[in-house]
Amino acid sequence: MKDLFSPDLSARIGSLTLQNPIMPASGTFSEDLADVFDLDVLGAHVLKTIMHGTRAGNPTPRVCDMQSGMINAIGIPSKGIDYFRDDMLPYWAGFRSPLVVSISAHSMDEFARLCSEVSLPGVTAIEANISCPNIEADGNAFAMRPDTTHEVVTRLRAETDLPLWAKLTPNTGTPVEVAQAAEAAGADALVTANTMLGMSIDIDSRRPRLGNVMGGMSGPAIKPIALRMTYQCARACNIPVIGCGGISTLSDVLEFLIAGARAVQIGTATFQSPTVMARLITELQGWMVARGIASLDEIIGSIEAPEAGVFE
Ligand SMILES: Cc1cc2nc3c(=O)[nH]c(=O)nc-3n(C[C@H](O)[C@H](O)[C@H](O)COP(=O)(O)O)c2cc1C
């Protein structure tokens, strides 16, 4: 009998080889999803960002709808490092898919300490959410500037031997310089990107729709921004880039891979369709079979773009 063509979906992210390039975006993935699909089909499990101490999060309302997406200002409620180690880690370490722990902090010292404390057996990689406000830099996110990015990634690098992913923000005028600063400081991969800062107003009450006034836009509306950043960073850096932002269909996944992403993260789409990640893996495999594509290497970075690519 003739062998069925079976493409290789594995995605190489530095020293890690994931079984496929589909993984959840931090903050949009929880154990409830195990009720609707086998979580071990995923390339990796990326958890909601944890911070060191216990935190309540932002005032309500914390989410609102917008055309083609949503705005959230959850504010990273956290049960702290002890809860993560004693209650969450034993559950997540029981899966075959590698565990990526997202961490954040408002100061360099707290960030570095947390990075060291989460470098535990059962954790495969650390995703540094450097897109959250830094109180030492007047509330600007670390990843808004190359210098603060370099400083914080250097501090984190010194605290862990685990693969370190830097999750960047689209809220910067210098995405390439920020990405290169993260690479120079020792990041093993980049995640492009977090939410885009936005707001919404209820015209009857004339009040902001979010308790925090401003929040992070996600979903299809931000896809072109995240895709552009993924393309820019993949061209400018030598470390792998993981695309994230507005991905909900197979063609979205393929666009990010063609732009240079080695893997992708799915966030808001899971709220609309909890099984979307499992479906995308099956669809990607089917697409490769139909075209006789043997591995992701034939797709990743295959964009045919004019060399300049400059916007004027
Ligand atoms: C409700 C919600 C909570 C989120 N929480 C986090 C978080 O804790 N840490 C983080 O790095 N990103 C967080 N994000 C951002 C997502 O990980 C992702 O970067 C962003 O939503 C863009 O992807 P998407 O358009 O596929 O949702 C959150 C997004 C949403 C919608």
Side-chain angles (χ1 to χ4, degrees), residues 16 44-47 50 81 84-86 88-103 114-128 160-165:
L16 299 177
H45 294 164
V46 185
L47 303 188
I50 59 166
I81 174 70
F84 166 73
R85 188 190 50 235
D86 301 336
M88 293 174 70
L89 184 55
Y91 174 79
W92 289 107
F95 288 92
R96 281 194 309 277
S97 296
L99 181 63
V100 181
V101 175
S102 168
I103 58 168
L114 185 56
C115 186
S116 160
E117 289 178 352
V118 299
S119 296
L120 297 163
V123 177
T124 302
I126 294 176
E127 182 176 278
T160 189
D161 292 327
L162 292 176
L164 179 63
W165 301 355

Side-chain angles (χ1 to χ4, degrees), residues 44-261:
H45 294 164
V46 185
L47 303 188
K48 169 89 185 156
T49 300
I50 59 166
M51 296 183 88
H52 197 274
T54 51
R55 291 165 44 87
N58 281 331
T60 55
R62 290 176 169 180
V63 293
C64 70
D65 278 341
M66 62 167 186
Q67 278 170 340
S68 295
M70 61 183 281
I71 315 181
N72 90 82
I74 308 275
I76 314 189
S78 173
K79 293 185 177 166
I81 174 70
D82 294 343
Y83 180 79
F84 166 73
R85 188 190 50 235
D86 301 336
D87 291 75
M88 293 174 70
L89 184 55
Y91 174 79
W92 289 107
F95 288 92
R96 281 194 309 277
S97 296
L99 181 63
V100 181
V101 175
S102 168
I103 58 168
S104 200
H106 291 309
S107 74
M108 303 265 178
D109 285 345
E110 197 185 299
F111 221 142
R113 189 169 141 214
L114 185 56
C115 186
S116 160
E117 289 178 352
V118 299
S119 296
L120 297 163
V123 177
T124 302
I126 294 176
E127 182 176 278
N129 174 5
I130 56 174
S131 321
C132 88
N134 170 11
I135 44 177
E136 290 155 5
D138 295 330
N140 286 319
F142 294 100
M144 283 180 179
R145 291 191 354 216
D147 58 343
T148 43
T149 298
H150 192 274
E151 198 180 343
V152 73
V153 175
T154 302
R155 291 287 306 272
L156 300 179
R157 181 71 288 166
E159 299 294 339
T160 189
D161 292 327
L162 292 176
L164 179 63
W165 301 355
K167 184 166 179 184
L168 306 185
T169 174
N171 303 309
T172 174
T174 53
V176 167
E177 290 78 358
V178 166
Q180 288 172 330
E183 178 176 21
D188 295 294
L190 303 169
V191 182
T192 52
N194 213 312
T195 52
M196 182 90 204
L197 202 57
M199 71 181 282
S200 178
I201 296 173
D202 177 88
I203 55 166
D204 294 321
S205 65
R206 302 195 181 188
R207 294 175 66 81
R209 283 208 170 87
L210 292 172
N212 191 53
V213 182
M214 289 177 273
M217 293 161 54
S218 63
I222 68 163
K223 194 191 89 178
I225 298 169
L227 183 65
R228 179 265 300 166
M229 235 179 116
T230 299
Y231 171 67
Q232 288 177 302
C233 296
R235 265 163 63 120
C237 298
N238 293 312
I239 52 175
V241 177
I242 300 165
C244 176
I247 300 172
S248 63
T249 65
L250 173 64
S251 64
D252 295 335
V253 172
L254 291 167
E255 273 190 83
F256 276 80
L257 297 180
I258 291 167

